[in-house]
């Protein structure tokens, strides 16, 4: 199983040759029927090569499975790195909790909203009692007493397990973005009104001249 390529059959050849040599020495020293003994030795040698062939096939399959496992492991590692990078760069806070409320993962934005250092493996009750209470009561929004941050809470179950993904959306950021959209719309409206007023004013000015 550990041999590679033709080395497996080389081992089988050595084993068969050794048995043949031993049998030849016995035939020279002992008065026995050499034909029957050599027939048995021949069957044993055939068995050696059959075992070598089966072992080679099993080893080839094991090597193929090992390469596939390495490829899938590398792909999974790359995917995990991408996911961690994407989660870390999200504008919303993300927490992953197990069925017992133990924190499995959180991104820097969630740590900033909670006002704590990233500490996985601790219960959410100890990390943020306010958020834990809000999740139990099914609240959709929360304002943290310590930092004064207002967040919108959204939960999502992961797969068939009991893990829960908690999204914390910064309401102040959402309000700022909405204000910027309103200002941009107001600017476009003002520009359109100015354009509509400028045209008749230019005509009146031209006529008066």
């Amino acid at each position: 199983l550990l041999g590679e390529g033709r080395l497996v059959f080389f081992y089988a050849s050595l084993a068969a040759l050794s048995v043949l040599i031993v049998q030849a020495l016995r035939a020279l020293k002992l008065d026995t029927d050499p034909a029957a003994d050599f027939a048995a030795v021949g069957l044993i040698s055939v068995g050696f090569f059959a075992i070598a062939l089966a072992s080679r096939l099993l080893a080839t399959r094991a090597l193929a499975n090992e390469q596939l496992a390495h490829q899938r492991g590398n792909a999974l590692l790359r995917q995990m790195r991408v996911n961690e990078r994407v989660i870390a760069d999200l504008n919303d806070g993300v927490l992953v909790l197990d069925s017992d409320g133990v924190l499995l993962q959180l991104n820097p934005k969630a740590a900033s909203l909670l006002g704590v250092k990233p500490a996985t493996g601790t219960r959410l009750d100890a990390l943020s009692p306010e958020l834990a209470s809000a999740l139990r009561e099914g609240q959709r929004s929360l304002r943290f007493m310590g930092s004064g941050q207002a967040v919108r809470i959204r939960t999502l179950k992961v797969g068939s397990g009991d893990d829960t993904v908690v999204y914390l959306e910064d309401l102040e950021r959402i309000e700022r973005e909405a204000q910027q959209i309103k200002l941009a719309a107001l600017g476009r409206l003002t520009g359109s009104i100015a354009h509509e007023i400028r045209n008749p004013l230019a005509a009146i000015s031209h006529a008066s001249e």
Side-chain angles (χ1 to χ4, degrees):
L1 285 174
L2 298 178
E4 295 182 0
R6 299 177 181 177
L7 196 59
V8 177
F9 297 101
F10 174 70
Y11 294 150
S13 301
L14 284 181
L17 184 61
S18 301
V19 172
L20 287 173
I21 291 174
V22 170
Q23 183 57 34
L25 293 176
R26 288 185 60 197
L28 292 175
K29 293 182 179 180
L30 301 177
D31 187 12
T32 58
D33 184 9
D37 292 339
F38 277 103
V41 170
L43 291 177
I44 292 175
S45 300
V46 171
F48 287 156
F49 282 96
I51 292 173
L53 179 61
S55 300
R56 177 57 188 160
L57 293 176
L58 290 175
T60 303
R61 185 172 181 179
L63 289 174
N65 290 335
E66 182 181 6
Q67 293 177 356
L68 181 61
H70 280 300
Q71 292 175 359
R72 291 182 176 177
N74 293 333
L76 180 60
L77 182 60
R78 289 195 300 270
Q79 187 64 40
M80 289 176 61
R81 290 175 179 172
V82 170
N83 292 341
E84 290 176 356
R85 185 62 182 176
V86 170
I87 292 174
D89 289 342
L90 285 177
N91 291 326
D92 298 332
V94 178
L95 299 91
V96 182
L97 306 173
D98 65 2
S99 58
D100 297 327
V102 177
L103 184 64
L104 301 178
Q105 186 179 0
L106 80 163
N107 65 345
K109 182 62 177 179
S112 175
L113 291 173
L114 295 176
V116 297
K117 293 182 179 180
T120 58
T122 58
R123 291 185 60 85
L124 185 62
D125 294 332
L127 193 64
S128 177
E130 296 173 297
L131 180 58
S133 176
L135 291 176
R136 284 193 297 267
E137 297 174 1
Q139 297 182 13
R140 295 299 180 183
S141 61
L142 173 67
R143 181 176 292 276
F144 294 106
M145 299 299 295
S147 61
Q149 290 274 8
V151 296
R152 183 165 58 190
I153 304 172
R154 197 160 51 90
T155 59
L156 178 66
K157 291 292 184 180
V158 179
S160 59
D162 296 329
D163 294 345
T164 304
V165 179
V166 180
Y167 295 95
L168 301 178
E169 300 178 7
D170 190 356
L171 291 179
E172 294 181 0
R173 178 182 61 82
I174 295 175
E175 292 175 356
R176 289 194 301 268
E177 291 178 354
Q179 186 69 20
Q180 291 176 359
I181 293 174
K182 290 180 181 178
L183 292 176
L186 182 59
R188 289 194 296 269
L189 178 61
T190 304
S192 177
I193 293 174
H195 178 72
E196 294 296 330
I197 293 176
R198 189 184 305 114
N199 289 338
L201 286 179
I204 293 172
S205 176
H206 178 71
S208 62
E209 291 176 358

